[in-house]
């Protein structure tokens, strides 16, 4: 009896988080599905996947990132022909777009939450391209979305938004498997008292302004016994350049620039508190890392932050639009006497819901 075919598609993944997600998916497939299914993986570059079992058939699309038109051609025209050729049991699109394909089961994994973020006028000016992108994404998601057996998102709040926006019910919440194996806890490093770290790449929704303004408020009150480390230095983009120019006079902020993983771990180990004021995320990896390292944490009071954090005691939440609120929370940490944290309780998420790729494939492939 011939084995059924599963097609995995991620032709635009070539670096960073998305590539990591694809590889985690393939590791699960390699371990649990290869004996029962033929696996075809559509990729941008086969060389990026050299560590995988030779029984997985990789087909590369090296020109997929040349233009968005090329991507659209593949998703909505070429993949139709390919699906007729392979006759897959499951076509699993790992990157947001629901292609025109023929398959017994169709699934799409939706990563990007930007369509649910209302950018301010100031943010639009700073990053008009991101504003257009956020509006465009709604239509990209909408094409063919109701033809899927399942739509996968990373958090419950995104599921609720998808249900409202697209009038669908078949949405799985799949919390990402976060590999914390490279988190090297060094107990020999002395904690720097009243130190704060915000590790993030500078994009307008990352909200670096709020922590800079909060620090300014503290300095104006004469509170200067603190150090705030920000992983920007002004060289990354226009947004970071504006931030550094505007706040470089503050004594208590150190703009350390983007860090290697090894260097970032040194900062993680030595700081007392991790701050994460981002206005929108699908997950927010530094939250998970700070929790693992048992740091004091100050988070934007938004659904993604509560869901990512889960059960944790030493956390404050603040209004991400209020630098004064953040300054108050930072001051409580600096004073350090009988701190009464807000704490957080893990959210109870309704089915369908899973915590790893194995559980996700069990839901998807269930007959």
């Amino acid at each position: 009896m011939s084995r059924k075919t599963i097609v995995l598609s991620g032709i635009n993944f070539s670096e960073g988080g998305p590539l990591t997600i694809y590889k985690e998916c393939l590791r699960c497939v390699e371990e649990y599905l290869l004996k029962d299914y033929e696996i075809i993986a559509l990729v941008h570059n086969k060389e990026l996947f050299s560590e995988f079992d030779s029984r997985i058939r990789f087909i590369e699309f090296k020109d997929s990132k040349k233009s968005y038109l090329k991507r659209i051609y593949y998703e909505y025209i070429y993949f139709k022909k390919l699906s007729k050729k392979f006759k897959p049991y499951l076509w699993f699109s790992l990157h947001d777009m629901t292609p025109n394909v023929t398959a017994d089961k169709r699934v799409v994994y939706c990563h990007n939450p930007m369509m649910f973020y209302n950018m301010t006028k100031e943010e639009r000016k700073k990053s008009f391209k991101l504003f257009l992108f956020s509006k465009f994404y709604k239509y990209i998601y909408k094409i063919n979305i109701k033809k899927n057996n399942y739509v996968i998102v990373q958090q419950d709040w995104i599921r609720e938004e998808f249900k409202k926006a697209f009038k669908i019910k078949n949405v799985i919440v799949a919390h990402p498997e976060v590999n914390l194996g490279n988190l090297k806890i060094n107990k020999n490093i002395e904690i720097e008292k009243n130190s704060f770290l915000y590790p993030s790449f500078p994009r307008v929704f990352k909200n670096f302004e709020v922590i800079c303004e909060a620090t300014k408020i503290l300095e104006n009150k004469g509170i200067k016994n603190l150090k705030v480390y920000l992983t920007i230095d002004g060289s990354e983009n226009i947004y970071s350049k504006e931030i550094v120019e505007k706040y470089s006079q503050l004594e208590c902020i150190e703009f350390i620039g983007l860090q290697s993983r090894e260097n970032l771990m040194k900062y993680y180990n030595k700081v007392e508190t991790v701050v994460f004021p981002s206005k929108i995320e699908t997950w927010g990896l530094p939250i998970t890392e700070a929790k693992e390292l048992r740091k004091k944490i100050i988070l934007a009071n938004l659904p993604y932050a509560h869901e990512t954090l889960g059960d944790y005691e030493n956390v404050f939440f603040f209004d991400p639009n209020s630098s004064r609120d953040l300054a108050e929370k930072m001051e409580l940490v600096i004073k350090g006497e009988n701190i009464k944290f807000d704490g957080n309780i893990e959210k109870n998420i309704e089915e369908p819901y899973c915590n790893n790729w194995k559980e996700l494939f069990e839901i998807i492939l269930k007959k």
Side-chain angles (χ1 to χ4, degrees), residues 39-67:
I39 307 297
I40 298 170
L42 312 183
V43 300
H44 178 64
N45 184 346
K46 283 196 281 191
E47 292 176 7
L48 297 172
F49 300 88
S50 57
E51 71 265 35
F52 289 97
D53 194 302
S54 60
R55 288 176 294 168
I56 297 175
R57 180 180 174 187
F58 288 95
I59 302 173
E60 66 181 8
F61 297 83
K62 283 194 171 180
D63 60 350
S64 63
K65 297 182 78 172
K66 280 186 176 178
S67 72

Side-chain angles (χ1 to χ4, degrees), residues 139-262:
Y139 299 100
I140 286 295
Y141 275 148
K142 193 173 184 178
I143 297 170
N144 294 333
I145 196 166
K146 292 188 177 182
K147 293 181 180 179
N148 289 293
N149 295 81
Y150 293 107
V151 175
I152 299 159
V153 298
Q154 287 190 348
Q155 291 207 328
D156 196 45
W157 75 268
I158 304 176
R159 168 161 63 185
E160 294 309 310
E161 293 292 347
F162 264 69
K163 284 180 176 181
K164 285 187 281 186
F166 304 116
K167 305 296 186 289
I168 56 175
K169 295 180 180 178
N170 55 336
V171 187
I172 301 171
V173 173
H175 281 179
E177 282 187 87
V178 180
N179 179 12
L180 297 172
N182 60 357
L183 270 186
K184 296 174 182 173
I185 302 171
N186 188 342
K187 292 180 180 177
N188 296 321
I189 294 180
E190 188 177 348
I191 301 295
E192 184 181 346
K193 192 166 175 57
N194 303 337
S195 56
F196 301 83
L197 171 68
Y198 179 25
S200 182
F201 186 84
R203 295 188 175 90
V204 290
F205 58 88
K206 293 294 186 176
N207 202 16
F208 277 87
E209 300 92 330
V210 76
I211 191 168
C212 292
E213 285 292 332
T215 306
K216 185 177 177 181
I217 289 168
L218 292 172
E219 286 196 14
N220 288 341
K221 287 178 70 175
I223 301 171
K224 296 186 178 182
N225 59 331
L226 71 150
K227 180 65 73 176
V228 177
Y229 297 103
L230 303 179
T231 55
I232 61 174
D233 61 16
S235 66
E236 298 83 8
N237 52 34
I238 294 170
Y239 171 61
S240 71
K241 186 172 183 286
E242 287 181 2
I243 293 289
V244 173
E245 286 176 355
K246 186 174 181 180
Y247 298 104
S248 59
Q249 82 285 0
L250 294 176
E251 296 175 36
C252 299
I253 291 180
E254 191 169 323
F255 295 104
I256 61 175
L258 297 173
Q259 299 290 305
S260 67
R261 186 68 185 165
E262 186 180 355

